[in-house]
Amino acid sequence: MRKVQLLIVGAGPAGLSAGIEAARAGVQVTIIDENLRPGGQLFKQIHKFFGSRVHNAGVRGFRIGEKLLQETRELGVEVLLGYPVYGIFPGGEVVYGSADGVKQLQAEKIILATGANENNLCFEGSVLPGVMTAGAAQTMINLHHVLPGQRVVMVGSGNVGLIVSYQLLQAGARVEAVVEAGPAIGGYGVHAGKLKRAGVPFYLSHTVQRAMGTTEVEAVELVELDHFKAIPGTEKIIEADTVCMAVGLTPMTELASLCGCELVESRGLGGLVPVHDHDMRTTNPNVYIAGDISGVEEASTAMEEGRLAGTAAAESLGYIPAKEAARRKEEIHGRLDLLRSGQFGARRAQAKIEIERSFAQIKRGGEVR
Ligand SMILES: Cc1cc2nc3c(=O)[nH]c(=O)nc-3n(C[C@H](O)[C@H](O)[C@H](O)COP(=O)(O)OP(=O)(O)OC[C@H]3O[C@@H](n4cnc5c(N)ncnc54)[C@H](O)[C@@H]3O)c2cc1C
């Protein structure tokens, strides 16, 4: 069986950053991704990123992806594309698909950077063609240059819902409504402002009750909510051919679970996440995680967590002396703390502390070496 020193699953911002950091230290790195293009979510992001300049604010997402790819190439990192990883055994045996059939390899250390899945809503008509996630619509317009529909109802007013709505407008669709179950817009004012100026109506304290149509979506019925409960008699019909759902993401933890990592529920991080320590190490001592799999945040935090996991894995393989590794990890933590300040960030910072506490508890119980 082929042997690799460090295998990284997922070539998104977290996986690529982890690969760069470990390869710089001298580790032999292989990154594997089921997509034919590396970059994960980044290549769909044509908008300029928000945040601080250290974290690429003002740079378009796909440009950040191009820079990361260039660096992996220069460092000689092996990137296998179009290869889905089906399973990982606790001892590091990895089973993946390829054009030549199912293959296996043995990895000394593993970093899981598999990202997150988009959530869906279930309502009458939600299986009609025309109902999709916001990410699917974004892939269609920004990667394949195909408009998913002409008249769109967006469900969810977080940053994803707002950004994808604006990109749909730019691509030539009409956004008939942004629907939000809560009483206030969830995302940044700067994104909402662009939609308001374009005349897009916002329906706060509303949800989609049903998508109507025989073979595809023809109209959408909205209903007003009182503390998330439908108010009878407030239904309104909006003509539309597309319903996009931007209602959160859930970390993709299947591989972590298969290779014996303990999972814990965290509301602040999007659902079940692998328990991990300050270095992104899971309860399987040879497996690290980084990015949205460890809790849904942003590309900037995904990249920093990637650097952290890459540094920690290189240290454990003997490529970075403990003192130097500690210095580098502290620097990365400083930047992560910055990203996790502010109203939304502070909640995620607290959730991360709770996860690390769970790790310490499990370690005290003797289950982690
Ligand atoms: C509309 C939108 C706008 C955003 N805007 C911003 C922004 O302005 N600023 C910001 O910081 N963040 C933004 N984000 C968030 C950011 O894109 C994500 O947080 C980030 O991409 C997470 O990185 P990741 O590497 O963890 O996962 P991903 O980018 O999702 O990459 C995961 C990779 O793993 C691969 N993979 C998964 N499972 C397997 C398997 N079994 N086998 C092989 N490969 C597998 C996938 O194919 C994918 O390429 C935005 C997201 C969206 C949807």
Side-chain angles (χ1 to χ4, degrees), residues 158-233:
N159 283 322
V160 172
L162 298 178
I163 290 169
V164 176
S165 292
Y166 192 66
Q167 291 175 354
L168 282 160
L169 286 181
Q170 287 177 310
R174 275 174 58 177
V175 179
E176 302 291 350
V178 174
V179 183
E180 167 60 54
I185 292 171
Y188 290 136
V190 60
H191 298 310
K194 285 187 194 169
L195 292 175
K196 285 181 181 165
R197 287 193 292 280
V200 173
F202 280 77
Y203 291 86
L204 303 180
S205 297
H206 276 75
T207 192
V208 172
Q209 186 141 277
R210 61 185 168 130
M212 298 145 81
T214 41
T215 55
E216 58 191 355
V217 176
E218 290 163 20
V220 180
E221 186 179 81
L222 305 186
V223 68
E224 201 175 332
L225 301 173
D226 176 19
H227 293 89
F228 299 96
K229 271 198 170 149
I231 308 171

Side-chain angles (χ1 to χ4, degrees), residues 356-366:
E356 284 174 27
R357 263 192 216 130
S358 305
F359 185 92
Q361 260 169 19
I362 295 171
K363 198 170 174 185
R364 270 199 299 277

Side-chain angles (χ1 to χ4, degrees), residues 9-15 32-35 39-42 45 47-50 83-85 113-116 138 160 163-164 252 255 290-293 297-300 302:
V9 187
I32 191 162
D33 198 298
E34 63 190 350
N35 266 330
Q41 298 278 341
L42 281 178
Q45 316 304 346
H47 61 283
K48 290 183 180 167
F49 269 37
F50 34 81
Y83 289 33
V85 174
T114 46
Q138 198 184 38
V160 172
I163 290 169
V164 176
M252 219 151 42
L255 291 178
D292 280 356
I293 180 183
E297 297 191 75
E298 294 167 354
S300 328

Side-chain angles (χ1 to χ4, degrees), residues 13-299:
L16 291 175
S17 303
I20 291 167
E21 215 59 30
R24 262 197 207 131
V27 179
Q28 175 232 335
V29 182
T30 298
I31 304 182
I32 191 162
D33 198 298
E34 63 190 350
N35 266 330
L36 289 173
R37 288 185 63 167
Q41 298 278 341
L42 281 178
F43 282 96
K44 298 195 283 188
Q45 316 304 346
I46 56 167
H47 61 283
K48 290 183 180 167
F49 269 37
F50 34 81
S52 69
R53 190 163 308 156
V54 188
H55 291 108
N56 299 299
V59 182
R60 296 185 192 280
F62 71 94
R63 295 269 180 239
I64 303 172
E66 281 169 0
K67 199 168 139 242
L68 292 176
L69 272 180
Q70 178 67 21
E71 277 182 79
T72 49
R73 270 189 220 113
E74 284 165 10
L75 288 161
V77 173
E78 179 184 37
V79 184
L80 303 175
L81 299 172
Y83 289 33
V85 174
Y86 298 137
I88 303 178
F89 291 90
E93 304 90 350
V94 178
V95 182
Y96 63 97
S98 77
D100 310 322
V102 175
K103 290 194 171 179
Q104 268 175 284
L105 59 79
Q106 175 73 44
E108 219 173 309
K109 300 281 172 193
I110 293 170
I111 298 177
L112 298 175
T114 46
N117 270 324
E118 289 183 281
N119 298 338
N120 276 295
L121 288 178
C122 188
F123 48 83
E124 193 183 325
S126 60
V127 291
L128 279 173
V131 180
M132 64 189 75
T133 62
Q138 198 184 38
T139 305
M140 287 170 82
I141 47 177
N142 294 349
L143 286 187
H144 305 299
H145 306 151
V146 175
L147 212 50
Q150 300 291 334
R151 304 179 72 176
V152 182
V153 169
M154 178 66 66
V155 188
S157 72
N159 283 322
V160 172
L162 298 178
I163 290 169
V164 176
S165 292
Y166 192 66
Q167 291 175 354
L168 282 160
L169 286 181
Q170 287 177 310
R174 275 174 58 177
V175 179
E176 302 291 350
V178 174
V179 183
E180 167 60 54
I185 292 171
Y188 290 136
V190 60
H191 298 310
K194 285 187 194 169
L195 292 175
K196 285 181 181 165
R197 287 193 292 280
V200 173
F202 280 77
Y203 291 86
L204 303 180
S205 297
H206 276 75
T207 192
V208 172
Q209 186 141 277
R210 61 185 168 130
M212 298 145 81
T214 41
T215 55
E216 58 191 355
V217 176
E218 290 163 20
V220 180
E221 186 179 81
L222 305 186
V223 68
E224 201 175 332
L225 301 173
D226 176 19
H227 293 89
F228 299 96
K229 271 198 170 149
I231 308 171
T234 60
E235 296 80 2
K236 44 186 86 60
I237 309 261
I238 293 183
E239 276 187 38
D241 55 19
T242 308
V243 183
C244 288
M245 279 172 284
V247 290
L249 296 120
T250 303
M252 219 151 42
T253 55
E254 294 84 350
L255 291 178
S257 168
L258 278 175
C259 61
C261 306
E262 293 239 11
L263 306 179
V264 67
E265 180 69 30
S266 169
R267 278 193 71 190
L269 295 171
L272 271 185
V273 293
V275 177
H276 55 279
D277 69 3
H278 215 48
D279 287 354
M280 307 309 295
R281 192 176 72 135
T282 68
T283 56
N284 178 333
N286 292 322
V287 179
Y288 297 75
I289 52 170
D292 280 356
I293 180 183
S294 78
V296 174
E297 297 191 75
E298 294 167 354

